Amino acid sequence: MKKFWITLILVVIVIIVTIVAIPKKKVLYIYNWEEYIPQEVIESFEKEYNCTVVYDSFASNEEMYAKIKAGGSGYDIVFPSGDHVSIMKKEGMLLKLDLSKIPNFKYLDENVLNKTTYDPNHEYSVPYMLGSTGICVNKKYVKDYKHSWSIYEDERLKGHMTLLDDMREVLGGALKYLGYSVNTTNPDEIEQAKNLVLKWKQNIVKFDASSYANGIVNGEYWVVHGYAEDIFQRVPEGEEENYDFFIPEEGGTLWIDNMVILKDAKHVDLAYKFINHILDPKNAALIADFLGLPSPNVEARKYITTEPIYTIEELKNCEFIEDVGEYIDLYNKAWQEIIM
Amino acid sequence: MKYITAYTLWLVVFFVIPLIIILSFSFLEKTPYGGVNFSFSLEGYKSLLTIGYLRILWRTVWISIISTFITIIFALPTAYYIAKSKFKNFLLLLVVIPFWTNSLIRIYAWIFVLGNNGIINQFLKLIGLVDSHIQFLYNPWAVILVIVYTYLPYAIIPLYAAIERLDNSIFEAALDLGCSKRKAFFKVLIPNIKAGLVASIIFVLIPAMGSYAIPDLVGGVNSKMIGNEIARQLTTAKNWPAASAISSILTLITLLGVIIFVKSSKKEVLN
Amino acid sequence: MLGSSVEIRNVDKFFGDFQALDKVNLQIKRGEFFSLLGPSGCGKTTLLRIIAGLEYPDSGDVLFDGISVVSIPANKREANTIFQNYALFPHLTVFENIAFSLRLKKMSENEIREKVEKLINLVRLEGQENKKPIQLSGGQRQRVAIARALANEPKVLLLDEPVSALDAKLRQELLLELDNLHDQVGITFIYVTHDQAEAISVSDHVAVMNNGRIVQIGTPYEIYESPADRFVATFIGETNLMKAEVVDVNDEFIRVIAKGLGEFSCYKDKEVSKGDKILLTLRPEKIKISTKPLEGINSFHGVVEEEIYMGYQTKYFVRLDEGYILKIYKQHVNYLLDEKIIHWKDEVFVTWNPNDSFIVEVEKG
């Protein structure tokens, strides 16, 4: 028993010493999507401001939101998608931004800034990246297909395809294919979308948000619905042409990921500096190259060395997923009937 | 005595209190973006009264029971063999070794082996047995396979402990008195390792009921289990009361199952 | 019930490199109480397990009533075993333990009840029917084990050190009970023990084993009184071993000379000739001890070096004039009131009958 107490006391001392000793350097706590910022951009920030950046990652907006909502997360900057910016804004979780502290804000593309319907005046959020979920085809296995959602009706591909395990993304795709808005609140349109997805379900292996990217790269799946950057980060060098990532011609959902500072952030100054650092054209270019996505930073486009997987131009038919308020229950009900 | 206090404290802080929180959340009103309003509501439970939930609940139960059954079938002879072996310690080490690897990696390994483009399918294609592939994964049976694989060590260890403790001469006595080996197994071994058997079944059944990652990764369009639904209600659907209600029901079912099971097996031992 | 005769023919058994049994031959008569006696590791339990069918001999044969049973598995052999720790089924009651083999035979419930009750009466366990083995005393457990084995109506009952786990007093009692039981049931008992007192007190015949071999087979009397070799002589009871050289040979007796003793006579139970070196055994209770000079062919004088009072007898260690220390047991008879009680340091005279010593080893000279 004595030994136990001694061990316990030692452990407590070690923990206290660690807590007290480390914060001599300032620490910025970031909560972001996995592998979403290249390491060199973080390192240059740490060097410039003599601080440490702690980078935690989440796999979905929902996971992030649940954690922040539960309170006491300790994060300073979070990278939510647009719909969650609006939710978090309504829930009073976000700090109102002082744009004068972010001089590089001026480099952002007007076209992008106009699309932020969730925060039209940029009081709470700064766009980080934008893009669309799309469909990726492994051309080694699939030769003839159309750039359309109808690929999910192709019975020859039965057992080789996945759709995202994401209610709004999947129903959104179906709504677009039917010619409706991804933010519809019309129960009939949602019902039609549900029936369409049920048809697609016959041909897919599973609804998958966690292993599709690995799956398409190792040949497990031939057609997947997902995020381009997830997939291309895993494609081996030189094999990129085997993978055709496209935005269906009917359009799809648009996403904009944003930087926000939490209301209970403890390192607000450092957070502003970090956002400004990200918007620095050279850094923004590094990020766009790293992700293979079009940059919302006009000035950055001068420094970009790799061609993005798709251009902002191709996103014209895409629609931003908005918070539909209580109508979400219509979607929930439809989705439940699909997956259960 | 101090240990008991410490253990009780641990149990209260990390088990009883969270359980009470979950239970109370299930009777509260949901707010649109997650979280709860502190006013009484049965909406959380009412939202579960759909055919979909019955289906998913039933699926969870049958997958768990079949998995447990198969696990025990494999664990029994393995535990027996280890208990009677000269290399017990080495074999036990082999049983425990999988724990050194993260369970997610071990689940992914199954995709690597049994996937549509996995080792086995590539081999079958190579020898010309199939044109494209056989879809082993992405169905409830794949979920059962991986549950069995994951929880087999949990079943082996209590069974091993029970068998190892048994006096070998009672098997010899059974043989001597006219039992065949098979009969000795059912008439002497099984009744005398009941406690170990009960522990094994509980160790497998409970985590199987709460499976989340396994159905998510190797399950298909029709193998979601209750665990996945709880996660979905908590995150995407942002319906905390519903998530708490499902959790409470799952806990209740498991608890009832275990109590009935332990009671009935105890009665049998006494009679 | 009727017992079987049991015959062991040239049985060898190896455990890896270790030879547990070495060309063992045995003949056990129908209905006999036969003991296998020897120190631990001598192979007696292995032999018993081979008879039971729980082990297989590497070579040789086992016959019941003249028919080989080697190919018959334990569960079909007409032999049942009382295990050393009784091996009762912990999950079953006394009644069900005894009924175990009957249920396997699918007897009717009435038959079973009748039979088990009979056996319970036989082993005097009335009123314990519904107890679990863990609630019983050691002696009761043993009785359950016996009843359980007898329920199967074996022709041979194999007992593996059945009383060794009990305390000394209970051991004597149960031994007596076993003997009575044997008389009642009339089947063949094969009894394994390392305790020579147990073996000689209950057996019809005893086989003494050492290092996987049978060294001597005989009645308890023969084994004790005329041990075949030094091992048997020392293993069974206590004895005086004397190295001697033959100096003269007659028809019935020989004269020997031994270091520490001098010259004396002994019975010629083995063929020897002059000049042979021999080893003699002489049981301590055969020696007469007195403070007065004693008449006899083998008479010696010495001093009591040690005296151990044991109640029913006293052990003396007497140093003879020439140096040999003789072990002597003296019963406390005291017929003659004038006989002086012998004590430590007393000068004494000892003598023994030449018929009472035996030659156990001969080395040709």
Side-chain angles (χ1 to χ4, degrees):
Chain A
M1 203 61 202
K2 211 171 186 179
K3 247 187 193 164
F4 169 77
W5 286 114
I6 291 171
T7 321
L8 190 76
I9 290 166
L10 280 177
V11 168
V12 169
I13 289 172
V14 167
I15 291 171
I16 291 173
V17 167
T18 326
I19 290 170
V20 172
I22 283 178
K24 279 176 188 154
K25 248 184 180 182
K26 272 196 240 166
V27 182
L28 184 68
Y29 292 93
I30 293 179
Y31 198 30
N32 197 353
W33 302 81
E34 228 168 295
E35 295 174 53
Y36 210 29
I37 301 179
Q39 198 54 37
E40 49 193 308
V41 174
I42 292 177
E43 276 165 14
S44 64
F45 179 76
E46 286 178 328
K47 222 172 173 182
E48 195 173 337
Y49 295 97
N50 187 30
C51 65
T52 307
V53 173
V54 174
Y55 187 103
D56 281 352
S57 57
F58 52 82
S60 68
N61 277 306
E62 288 78 13
E63 181 190 336
M64 172 277 297
Y65 178 80
K67 193 161 172 184
I68 306 284
K69 177 87 183 167
S73 65
Y75 296 114
D76 299 307
I77 300 181
V78 182
F79 286 61
S81 302
D83 57 336
H84 277 75
V85 169
S86 104
I87 293 171
M88 291 166 88
K89 190 174 75 178
K90 282 183 203 161
E91 293 283 294
M93 293 153 89
L94 304 181
L95 186 81
K96 197 159 183 179
L97 296 178
D98 177 359
L99 288 184
S100 68
K101 289 187 178 167
I102 312 171
N104 290 338
F105 189 82
K106 62 175 182 273
Y107 296 125
L108 285 170
D109 191 334
E110 275 302 316
N111 291 324
V112 175
L113 291 177
N114 286 341
K115 284 196 169 169
T116 62
T117 47
Y118 49 86
D119 184 20
N121 301 321
H122 312 290
E123 289 171 307
Y124 295 96
S125 64
V126 176
Y128 174 70
M129 270 291 145
L130 80 163
S132 171
T133 51
I135 296 169
C136 188
V137 174
N138 188 328
K139 290 198 281 188
K140 268 192 282 183
Y141 303 105
V142 188
K143 304 290 181 208
D144 102 78
Y145 58 95
K146 280 205 298 187
H147 282 190
S148 158
W149 288 105
S150 64
I151 195 165
Y152 284 104
E153 286 161 21
D154 189 341
E155 295 217 356
R156 292 171 303 162
L157 301 176
K158 187 175 176 150
H160 297 287
M161 304 191 285
T162 68
L163 280 165
L164 273 176
D165 188 9
D166 186 310
M167 172 173 83
R168 293 296 300 273
E169 292 288 355
V170 174
L171 285 171
L175 285 165
K176 272 293 178 191
Y177 183 63
L178 294 166
Y180 305 131
S181 158
V182 303
N183 298 313
T184 182
T185 53
N186 179 337
D188 184 46
E189 290 175 6
I190 293 173
E191 177 72 14
Q192 284 177 44
K194 181 195 87 185
N195 290 330
L196 181 60
V197 176
L198 280 172
K199 217 161 86 193
W200 292 350
K201 186 182 164 186
Q202 310 285 322
N203 290 331
I204 64 166
V205 175
K206 61 192 293 198
F207 293 101
D208 184 315
S210 42
S211 64
Y212 71 87
N214 276 326
I216 189 155
V217 172
N218 65 30
E220 187 69 18
Y221 312 131
W222 299 351
V223 176
V224 299
H225 172 213
Y227 300 90
E229 59 281 13
D230 268 5
I231 295 163
F232 285 94
Q233 276 172 10
R234 290 177 172 81
V235 172
E237 197 99 20
E239 285 181 29
E240 287 87 352
E241 69 270 21
N242 284 333
Y243 299 90
D244 178 20
F245 185 92
F246 61 86
I247 314 288
E249 58 195 23
E250 300 89 356
T253 59
L254 185 70
W255 53 262
I256 303 177
D257 285 334
N258 306 270
M259 296 177 276
V260 300
I261 302 177
L262 292 181
K263 203 166 211 168
D264 54 6
K266 292 197 178 65
H267 312 94
V268 176
D269 278 348
L270 209 54
Y272 274 119
K273 282 173 188 149
F274 187 80
I275 294 173
N276 200 46
H277 183 78
I278 292 288
L279 294 182
D280 179 272
K282 281 184 183 154
N283 290 333
L286 284 172
I287 294 166
D289 281 342
F290 174 71
L291 297 171
L293 293 177
S295 180
N297 192 311
V298 181
E299 194 66 12
R301 290 173 194 158
K302 291 178 188 163
Y303 304 100
I304 285 169
T305 56
T306 54
E307 202 181 323
I309 303 160
Y310 48 82
T311 60
I312 292 195
E313 190 54 22
E314 283 175 72
L315 303 175
K316 61 181 190 300
N317 282 341
C318 295
E319 216 182 326
F320 182 73
I321 295 178
E322 280 169 24
D323 174 27
V324 292
E326 65 200 43
Y327 291 105
I328 195 74
D329 279 346
L330 291 174
Y331 287 88
N332 273 331
K333 218 173 134 253
W335 186 244
Q336 249 173 44
E337 282 169 41
I338 290 166
I339 59 161
M340 297 204 327
Chain B
M1 201 55 211
K2 271 182 191 162
Y3 283 113
I4 291 176
T5 322
Y7 181 68
T8 312
L9 203 71
W10 173 274
L11 212 62
V12 167
V13 171
F14 294 108
F15 187 71
V16 177
I17 293 177
L19 215 59
I20 291 171
I21 292 175
I22 289 173
L23 194 65
S24 33
F25 267 41
S26 71
F27 291 107
L28 295 177
E29 215 174 67
K30 75 164 190 166
T31 57
Y33 305 119
V36 285
N37 268 339
F38 285 88
S39 57
F40 181 81
S41 160
L42 284 174
E43 276 309 310
Y45 289 93
K46 272 188 196 152
S47 67
L48 307 185
L49 295 173
T50 66
I51 192 81
Y53 275 102
L54 271 183
R55 218 183 292 142
I56 209 165
L57 195 66
W58 168 237
R59 188 187 298 140
T60 305
V61 169
W62 76 257
I63 285 183
S64 306
I65 289 177
I66 291 182
S67 305
T68 308
F69 184 73
I70 297 174
T71 308
I72 299 295
I73 296 282
F74 281 114
L76 252 178
T78 313
Y80 184 82
Y81 179 78
I82 295 174
K84 299 296 167 212
S85 164
K86 276 185 214 158
F87 311 105
K88 282 179 211 195
N89 290 332
F90 175 69
L91 292 173
L92 272 183
L93 184 75
L94 288 187
V95 168
V96 181
I97 276 178
F99 290 122
W100 296 353
T101 312
N102 178 289
S103 67
L104 277 178
I105 291 172
R106 286 185 284 137
I107 302 170
Y108 271 112
W110 277 104
I111 299 178
F112 183 70
V113 174
L114 286 181
N116 292 347
N117 200 24
I119 293 173
I120 290 180
N121 267 316
Q122 281 180 6
F123 175 74
L124 291 178
K125 236 188 294 188
L126 195 75
I127 62 169
L129 224 59
V130 296
D131 288 337
S132 145
H133 70 279
I134 299 172
Q135 189 168 311
F136 297 110
L137 297 179
Y138 317 120
N139 58 56
W141 296 102
V143 175
I144 290 174
L145 172 78
V146 180
I147 290 178
V148 169
Y149 160 78
T150 306
Y151 296 113
L152 196 57
Y154 294 93
I156 290 175
I157 287 166
L159 283 175
Y160 161 82
I163 295 172
E164 214 255 342
R165 223 177 22 230
L166 273 190
D167 180 357
N168 196 42
S169 65
I170 66 168
F171 301 110
E172 294 192 330
L175 291 184
D176 192 63
L177 290 167
C179 268
S180 61
K181 282 194 173 155
R182 216 175 65 91
K183 269 192 185 157
F185 179 84
F186 287 108
K187 281 185 168 276
V188 176
L189 180 75
I190 296 288
N192 281 304
I193 56 165
K194 216 151 213 177
L197 208 57
V198 169
S200 281
I201 290 173
I202 290 173
F203 282 177
V204 180
L205 188 67
I206 291 182
M209 295 276 285
S211 292
Y212 167 71
I214 295 171
D216 195 40
L217 291 176
V218 300
V221 284
N222 285 319
S223 25
K224 290 239 185 294
M225 290 169 72
I226 279 289
N228 307 93
E229 187 53 23
I230 294 172
R232 194 183 74 80
Q233 286 291 353
L234 193 68
T235 57
T236 324
K238 294 195 174 57
N239 191 340
W240 290 20
S244 305
I246 312 170
S247 301
S248 304
I249 290 172
L250 180 63
T251 310
L252 198 73
I253 291 176
T254 321
L255 209 66
L256 272 178
V258 168
I259 288 172
I260 291 170
F261 177 62
V262 170
K263 274 229 166 125
S264 67
S265 59
K266 247 192 201 153
K267 223 183 250 166
E268 240 172 87
V269 170
L270 286 177
N271 289 341
Chain C
M1 286 188 239
L2 257 179
S4 286
S5 69
V6 176
E7 192 182 346
I8 311 292
R9 275 191 202 155
N10 278 324
V11 164
D12 281 324
K13 177 75 191 176
F14 290 86
F15 293 113
D17 285 341
F18 174 72
Q19 186 163 16
L21 292 175
D22 184 2
K23 291 269 166 303
V24 171
N25 282 286
L26 259 189
Q27 292 207 351
I28 300 165
K29 287 198 204 93
R30 196 171 283 201
E32 227 185 333
F33 197 128
F34 193 96
S35 289
L36 295 170
L37 173 65
S40 63
C42 74
K44 56 191 192 301
T45 297
T46 306
L47 183 57
L48 193 81
R49 289 168 60 81
I50 284 175
I51 299 171
L54 297 169
E55 300 278 0
Y56 293 92
D58 291 325
S59 64
D61 206 351
V62 179
L63 304 100
F64 285 9
D65 287 334
I67 298 158
S68 173
V69 294
V70 169
S71 57
I72 300 175
N75 53 353
K76 304 237 165 73
R77 261 189 221 189
E78 288 182 298
N80 282 107
T81 309
I82 315 286
F83 292 86
Q84 188 165 7
N85 53 4
Y86 314 135
L88 300 180
F89 303 123
H91 65 296
L92 297 177
T93 60
V94 168
F95 186 95
E96 286 303 325
N97 260 287
I98 297 171
F100 190 83
S101 61
L102 308 178
R103 294 210 186 279
L104 286 173
K105 288 178 185 159
K106 304 228 157 46
M107 281 189 178
S108 76
E109 197 60 39
N110 281 338
E111 270 179 291
I112 289 174
R113 184 147 295 280
E114 198 180 315
K115 234 183 138 184
V116 172
E117 267 165 19
K118 230 186 204 166
L119 285 160
I120 281 176
N121 287 335
L122 182 71
V123 296
R124 298 192 289 114
L125 275 172
E126 297 89 345
Q128 315 290 328
E129 289 88 341
N130 294 319
K131 286 192 180 162
K132 286 275 176 74
I134 199 157
Q135 297 166 291
L136 301 178
S137 69
Q140 287 171 324
R141 280 181 213 180
Q142 195 222 31
R143 290 185 196 148
V144 177
I146 293 170
R148 185 180 69 175
L150 290 177
N152 204 23
E153 296 190 357
K155 294 194 165 160
V156 181
L157 189 68
L158 307 170
L159 304 101
D160 187 4
E161 308 237 7
V163 296
S164 66
L166 309 172
D167 61 64
K169 200 151 179 227
L170 201 58
R171 212 181 302 173
Q172 287 306 316
E173 247 177 76
L174 285 169
L175 217 51
L176 213 68
E177 273 180 31
L178 272 180
D179 202 15
N180 287 334
L181 195 72
H182 176 243
D183 293 343
Q184 283 180 59
V185 297
I187 59 171
T188 313
F189 275 36
I190 302 178
Y191 186 96
V192 158
T193 181
H194 67 275
D195 186 319
Q196 39 97 11
E198 279 174 27
I200 52 187
S201 60
V202 290
S203 315
D204 296 320
H205 283 95
V206 178
V208 184
M209 293 184 71
N210 191 29
N211 292 330
R213 256 175 262 190
I214 291 186
V215 238
Q216 188 175 6
I217 304 175
T219 61
Y221 181 83
E222 286 163 348
I223 298 277
Y224 185 81
E225 296 293 341
S226 46
D229 67 2
R230 179 211 288 252
F231 170 77
V232 180
T234 49
F235 186 70
I236 295 168
E238 287 187 73
T239 196
N240 293 292
L241 283 178
M242 298 177 281
K243 274 186 203 155
E245 196 184 324
V246 180
V247 291
D248 195 12
V249 182
N250 287 337
D251 282 354
E252 259 189 275
F253 294 94
I254 53 172
R255 285 295 281 180
V256 297
I257 185 153
K259 198 177 163 234
L261 278 149
E263 205 179 296
F264 58 95
S265 291
C266 47
Y267 180 64
K268 191 177 90 177
D269 62 320
K270 281 200 173 73
E271 215 41 64
V272 291
S273 43
K274 206 171 151 185
D276 288 354
K277 294 216 163 61
I278 59 169
L279 189 72
L280 289 163
T281 164
L282 175 65
R283 297 283 182 197
E285 71 275 12
K286 308 280 186 187
I287 305 168
K288 236 174 155 182
I289 179 167
S290 173
T291 44
K292 290 173 196 160
L294 290 163
E295 278 177 32
I297 311 169
N298 300 328
S299 232
F300 296 91
H301 176 261
V303 178
V304 177
E305 278 240 315
E306 210 168 317
E307 173 199 1
I308 301 165
Y309 181 73
M310 298 179 74
Y312 61 102
Q313 66 178 16
T314 299
K315 270 190 198 181
Y316 294 104
F317 290 86
V318 175
R319 182 184 288 276
L320 301 184
D321 292 348
E322 294 202 32
Y324 187 84
I325 296 172
L326 206 55
K327 205 187 293 171
I328 300 165
Y329 295 167
K330 184 172 170 32
Q331 301 294 311
H332 299 150
V333 185
N334 295 353
Y335 291 115
L336 306 164
L337 289 172
D338 60 338
E339 195 179 357
K340 195 181 161 238
I341 293 170
I342 303 163
H343 283 307
W344 185 46
K345 282 190 173 167
D346 283 352
E347 290 201 10
V348 290
F349 297 91
V350 298
T351 184
W352 67 87
N353 190 325
N355 282 321
D356 286 333
S357 65
F358 292 91
I359 303 167
V360 289
E361 271 172 28
V362 180
E363 195 186 313
K364 289 287 171 194

